[in-house]
Amino acid sequence: MKAIVFRSVCTLALLASSQLAFAADTSKDDFTNFRFGIAATTLDIDPGADYFPSSDDTGVSLFAEFPQTDHAASRFLMYRIHQDGKDVTGFETQLMWGWGLSQPGFRLYTGPAWHREKIVLQGNSGRQIGVFNGWGWQIGTGYQLGAVTLDIAGTFRDDQDYRNQNRRSGAAGQRPNVWLTSALISYRF
């Protein structure tokens, strides 16, 4: 009985040491799939009230992304646009389905998104903060070279909150098209 226990312990120790050696060898060259990056972002609300941002107003974003597989990932994006008297602060969370999300090379993805943002509204009663949230659908493409990934992505958003604000501001009429677009660069850790 002691011999069987001794052989089992030795076998497990050899297997464990070989696995540790393999893990140490591959960890030198491999990265995790967690990415962190920065982006140039625009929020285009057209037609919209004068204090709504347009495609001419560019802001900055910080984001984190985690591909769970080569076909599924998630991204969290925080953005700020403060230009020409227009002030927007918000975030968007995205579920990404596509190809090449965790491997070097070409990437293509799409999926649902949800956003929440605050926009400074200017009216007869002064400046106020308006909160806008809702669903959208995003699409993007890019390329991963080593640990660096470059992407271009856009989210088409539900226009309900923006349309309601247009009515309140007197800019009623057509339904606005609302797009959040970003040029993203990230580093894979």
Side-chain angles (χ1 to χ4, degrees):
M1 179 72 168
K2 287 182 185 178
I4 293 173
V5 171
F6 180 74
R7 281 187 226 152
S8 299
V9 168
C10 288
T11 304
L12 288 174
L14 284 172
L15 287 172
S17 65
S18 67
Q19 289 297 324
L20 287 174
F22 177 74
D25 186 44
T26 59
S27 66
K28 291 181 224 170
D29 299 326
D30 291 345
F31 299 96
T32 67
N33 276 332
F34 177 76
R35 296 180 174 100
F36 185 75
I38 190 166
T41 301
T42 62
L43 176 62
D44 186 17
I45 305 168
D46 184 38
D50 292 338
Y51 46 79
F52 275 158
S54 67
S55 60
D56 297 331
D57 303 310
T58 304
V60 67
S61 300
L62 295 175
F63 70 95
E65 180 182 316
F66 187 75
Q68 288 82 15
T69 69
D70 204 33
H71 303 290
S74 54
R75 180 186 290 155
F76 182 77
L77 182 81
M78 295 184 336
Y79 53 92
R80 169 87 194 247
I81 299 168
H82 185 72
Q83 189 174 341
D84 297 329
K86 299 170 185 174
D87 196 359
V88 180
T89 304
F91 69 87
E92 182 170 283
T93 183
Q94 303 170 344
L95 179 59
M96 302 157 61
W97 298 311
W99 294 271
L101 298 178
S102 66
Q103 301 296 322
F106 178 72
R107 311 166 26 111
L108 180 66
Y109 51 89
T110 188
W114 186 82
H115 71 277
R116 180 175 173 87
E117 64 196 8
K118 294 181 179 179
I119 299 177
V120 175
L121 311 174
Q122 301 168 4
N124 295 336
S125 59
R127 294 171 56 114
Q128 299 175 340
I129 302 292
V131 177
F132 301 82
N133 57 32
W135 292 99
W137 195 264
Q138 54 90 22
I139 186 168
T141 188
Y143 194 84
Q144 178 180 315
L145 182 63
V148 177
T149 304
L150 299 170
D151 281 312
I152 296 175
T155 304
F156 184 72
R157 292 183 171 175
D158 174 41
D159 66 356
Q160 184 65 46
D161 286 351
Y162 306 100
R163 186 175 40 170
N164 290 342
Q165 183 59 38
N166 275 349
R167 285 187 195 129
R168 286 190 285 273
S169 70
Q174 300 175 353
R175 293 181 71 146
N177 289 317
V178 184
W179 280 92
L180 179 79
T181 55
S182 300
L184 309 105
I185 185 168
S186 63
Y187 185 80
R188 184 170 59 130
F189 291 93

